[in-house]
Amino acid sequence: MTTVTMTAAASGTCLLGDLTVHRIGFGAMRLTQHGPAFHPGVVPSDRDTAIRVLRRAVELGVNHIDTAAFYFSALRSANELIGRALAPYGEDLVIATKVGPGRDQSGAWLPHATPEELRGQVEENLRQLGRDHLDLVNLRIVGTDSIAERFGALAELRDAGLIRHLGLSNVHEHHLGEALAIAPVACVQNLYGIGRPGQDSFVRACGEQGIAFVPFYSIAGTGRERGGVSGESPEVLAIAAAHGAGPAEIRLAWTLSRGPHVLAIPGTGNLAHLESNVAAGALRLTEDELAALEAVHQRGE
C-alpha cells in the first residue's frame, strides 16, 4: 500500500505583500526548547533534530517561516538554527520576524523597544539570519497606545531597503488604520483559533482590505506557550476521529476555512507533528462539521 505524503501546496497560496506563500507555514517559537516557551529552566532542544525539522519543513513545501530574535533558550536561537539549516535560502522562502519585545541573556523580558531601539532589533535579526534584508517584519506590541512612532521607524527602515514588507502583531483594529496611514501593511498576526470569536470581525476586515491574517496559537488555544489546549471539546474529537486525524489538524483546518487570506504557522520540534500539521492543509471539513465547530468557537472553547 502506497502512502502519499501531503505537502504544504495542498493548503493553497496567499500573498504576503507581493510574496506568494503556501497557507500552511511554520512557526519557530517552539523549536529551541522542550516544554513551555520562554519559561526559565526549560530543556534546550537537540540541535540536530531542530535542523532536521526545519529542512523537512522546506522539503514538504513550507515556504513561510515565522521567527524572532527573542525566540531562544539557554543553548538555542531560532534565528541561528534557521540560518544553519536553510542558508543559502531558496528564492521562494519567506522568513518573517518580529520586533518590539526583547529578552536579556538570562531570558528575562525587557521593556518593549522604543522607536530608536527598533533599528538595533532589525539589525540583530539580519545578523542572526545572515541576511542583507528581511522579507517581513511584524511590529509586536502590548496594549492600546498609539503605534505611529514605532511603525514609522520601521517604515523608514523599509524605505532604506532593510525590510521588504511590514506587518503588525498582537494589535487592535484601530492600530491597523493608524499603520496604513504610514505605510502598506502586509499582514496582521494575532492570537486566533477555535474559541476566540472576539477576533472574527478583525479577520473579516483584513480580508476586505486584502491583508493576510496570520493567527498564532491556532492549535494551542488556551494552552498558549504551553503548546496545547487544556481539554478538548467532544465536537473537535468526534470530527478528528471521522477524518482519522488529530485535534490539532482539525483546529488548523478550521483556521484555514476562515478565509483565503488566513494563513497558519503551527510550530513544533517534532518531525511527526510537523508532517501532521502540514497534512492539515489538505483536510476539507464538511458544512455540518464547520457548523459544529462554529458552535464550539462561539462558546469560547
Side-chain angles (χ1 to χ4, degrees):
M1 185 175 182
T2 302
T3 300
V4 177
T5 300
M6 302 307 303
T7 72
S11 64
T13 61
C14 182
L15 287 174
L16 287 171
D18 62 354
L19 302 171
T20 301
V21 298
H22 291 134
R23 293 177 67 208
I24 285 281
F26 179 83
M29 184 187 74
R30 301 191 59 78
L31 197 63
T32 68
Q33 81 288 309
H34 301 287
F38 309 127
H39 285 220
V42 295
V43 177
S45 61
D46 177 76
R47 180 177 175 277
D48 290 341
T49 299
I51 288 173
R52 284 197 297 272
V53 167
L54 284 163
R55 290 176 176 167
R56 182 58 175 156
V58 172
E59 288 174 358
L60 291 171
V62 170
N63 59 358
H64 170 209
I65 295 178
D66 177 81
T67 186
F70 55 85
Y71 289 173
F72 65 84
S73 62
L75 298 177
R76 304 282 175 259
S77 155
N79 280 353
E80 290 174 354
L81 286 168
I82 290 167
R84 177 65 64 179
L86 303 179
Y89 302 107
E91 291 185 4
D92 70 334
L93 181 63
V94 175
I95 299 177
T97 190
K98 290 171 287 298
V99 295
R103 299 165 70 202
D104 64 22
Q105 291 184 342
S106 73
W109 290 102
L110 300 169
H112 273 43
T114 64
E116 296 75 22
E117 292 169 335
L118 287 172
R119 183 183 183 106
Q121 292 193 346
V122 167
E123 290 176 344
E124 181 182 24
N125 279 280
L126 287 167
R127 177 184 59 78
Q128 291 179 349
L129 290 165
R131 304 292 298 269
D132 60 6
H133 76 280
L134 299 172
D135 298 322
L136 170 63
V137 173
N138 290 304
L139 174 64
R140 183 171 176 82
I141 70 163
V142 173
T144 59
D145 292 347
S146 171
I147 63 169
E149 287 189 39
R150 286 170 287 174
F151 195 76
L154 292 180
E156 291 178 3
L157 297 179
R158 175 180 175 270
D159 293 342
L162 295 182
I163 301 170
R164 185 162 177 176
H165 293 294
L166 298 174
L168 300 171
S169 179
N170 202 45
V171 294
H172 297 265
E173 289 193 51
H174 71 273
H175 289 131
L176 177 57
E178 191 177 10
L180 286 170
I182 297 169
V185 176
C187 68
V188 169
Q189 186 186 87
N190 273 13
L191 194 162
Y192 186 61
I194 294 175
R196 302 289 298 190
Q199 287 285 299
D200 287 346
S201 65
F202 201 179
V203 174
R204 289 191 294 269
C206 286
E208 291 164 0
Q209 296 175 79
I211 296 169
F213 193 91
V214 187
F216 56 85
Y217 298 147
S218 57
I219 292 178
T222 57
R224 297 173 65 92
E225 293 91 347
R226 297 191 306 276
V229 295
S230 54
E232 190 57 88
S233 71
E235 293 93 333
V236 171
L237 291 174
I239 294 169
H243 285 271
E249 293 166 72
I250 300 305
R251 287 179 172 270
L252 287 172
W254 178 91
T255 298
L256 295 178
S257 78
R258 304 306 279 183
H261 67 297
V262 179
L263 308 180
I265 48 171
T268 182
N270 180 286
L271 282 165
H273 291 169
L274 168 67
E275 299 207 359
S276 296
N277 290 344
V278 171
L283 200 158
R284 301 293 182 261
L285 301 170
T286 68
E287 291 299 320
D288 287 346
E289 289 168 342
L290 288 171
L293 292 173
E294 182 67 18
V296 178
H297 177 58
Q298 295 300 327
R299 292 201 304 264
E301 295 181 9

